[in-house]
Amino acid sequence: MLTMFGVVPKVLWERRMPADPRNRISLGMRCLVIEHDVGLILIETGSGNKEDRKFQDIYGIENEGANGRTALEDGLRAAGYTPDDIAIVIDTHLHFDHAGGNTYRDERGDIRLAFPRARYVVQGGEYHYANHTNERTAASYFARNFVPVFEAGRFDLVDGEREIVPGVTVMPTPGHTPFHQSVLLESSGARALVLGDLVPTAAHLPLPWIMGYDVEPLVTLETKRRVLARALAEEWTLFFGHDPAVAWARLTHDGKTYGAVSDPPPGKSG
Ligand SMILES: [Zn+2]
């Protein structure tokens, strides 16, 4: 999609990510499950099952489950879990491709919580922003993805940096949306950052490679400058949600720009 690289010319970005004749590029929609003492923690829920064929074709979404309702549910089952096992859901933000799987549509057409035992965590500012859209932002926020969670009393609306459970901290990373958050994981001395849409793919590591979707691209720039400097100094592993190939990487800097080298995931998560 031309929107994925903002002001970066196509002749530059298509070397890294070839586009199809409709200018679409291949992207992942990756969620992360963490096995924690408190139970399973799910970061991001993908696009869910509620959108119609026309919508799915526009974005080329492939998220149908072979056994469950979605590819996410299939993945959970392949790991030996069910949606009932999720104790905490963390949404980096409420765009449809990150929080669409918070809820699902059942056979009767009713909207239900996809993770009925979980509490859901998002920044309070993001929840408010998602409920007050304008002409530019409305195409990304669908109330059915988050209002039912709020109405069920399951949202934990946080304000700023917060340790959700030991070793799992949400950290404001504004720019893509004003209250976007990333998730810092710490386990036996190692740290990993789930970037969300701050840096959607490894190709977006150079500071000015910012998505056209970002509502505050200059804020994204400063957030990237701050967060990536810390990630480099403290040798964090990075987790990319939209990269078609790279899930985990270690940040590098060659004196001019940021890049990535492959890095195995910390612990046994994958
Ligand atoms: Zn987004």
Side-chain angles (χ1 to χ4, degrees):
M1 284 175 273
L2 287 164
T3 34
M4 276 305 282
F5 292 99
V7 297
V8 177
K10 187 180 175 191
V11 288
L12 294 182
W13 63 252
E14 74 179 349
R15 287 184 213 150
R16 291 171 174 237
M17 287 204 178
D20 77 2
R22 292 167 70 186
N23 264 320
R24 300 185 303 189
I25 56 174
S26 187
L27 291 170
M29 206 164 54
R30 200 171 280 120
C31 310
L32 180 66
V33 173
I34 299 161
E35 294 167 326
H36 193 282
D37 292 344
V38 304
L40 290 189
I41 301 170
L42 175 64
I43 303 178
E44 313 283 41
T45 63
S47 62
N49 77 340
K50 301 185 296 302
E51 308 315 322
D52 62 20
R53 292 227 168 269
K54 184 182 165 205
F55 181 90
Q56 302 203 30
D57 183 58
I58 290 170
Y59 294 98
I61 292 173
E62 297 166 5
N63 192 39
E64 220 158 284
N67 306 306
R69 291 180 289 262
T70 58
L72 169 59
E73 203 177 306
D74 280 2
L76 279 175
R77 289 184 195 281
Y81 300 120
T82 74
D84 285 350
D85 296 322
I86 303 294
I88 299 172
V89 172
I90 301 176
D91 295 320
T92 59
H93 61 305
L94 296 173
H95 282 169
F96 67 80
D97 55 326
H98 293 256
N102 284 355
T103 59
Y104 71 97
R105 195 187 304 279
D106 70 13
E107 301 78 33
R108 295 174 48 210
D110 294 331
I111 306 283
R112 297 178 173 278
L113 300 195
F115 305 98
R117 296 170 194 264
R119 70 179 168 111
Y120 292 64
V121 179
V122 77
Q123 292 287 318
E126 173 70 12
Y127 185 77
H128 183 266
Y129 190 75
N131 278 289
H132 296 82
T133 54
N134 58 33
E135 293 80 355
R136 167 84 193 274
T137 62
S140 300
Y141 288 119
F142 307 142
R144 54 187 173 275
N145 292 336
F146 44 84
V147 170
V149 179
F150 184 83
E151 288 179 343
R154 294 303 183 83
F155 254 134
D156 186 357
L157 300 177
V158 299
D159 179 18
E161 185 163 319
R162 166 96 71 91
E163 188 172 56
I164 303 303
V165 293
V168 179
T169 300
V170 298
M171 172 196 292
T173 47
H176 178 67
T177 68
F179 296 91
H180 182 278
Q181 64 183 2
S182 300
V183 188
L184 183 61
L185 310 175
E186 301 180 72
S187 179
S188 20
R191 286 177 165 185
L193 186 68
V194 180
L195 291 154
D197 274 347
L198 172 63
V199 184
T201 77
H204 290 83
L205 283 170
L207 293 179
W209 290 54
I210 292 169
M211 286 192 281
Y213 291 113
D214 289 22
V215 293
E216 296 175 330
L218 297 181
V219 175
T220 303
L221 178 68
E222 296 312 317
T223 302
K224 282 175 75 174
R225 196 191 307 283
R226 172 172 54 83
V227 171
L228 294 183
R230 197 175 158 202
L232 188 72
E234 299 181 12
E235 300 184 329
W236 297 353
T237 296
L238 302 177
F239 178 82
F240 299 99
H242 286 309
D243 198 294
V246 182
W248 301 95
R250 182 68 62 89
L251 188 63
T252 61
H253 194 276
D254 64 5
K256 271 168 64 183
T257 190
Y258 286 111
V261 289
S262 66
D263 195 30
K268 63 177 267 212
S269 50

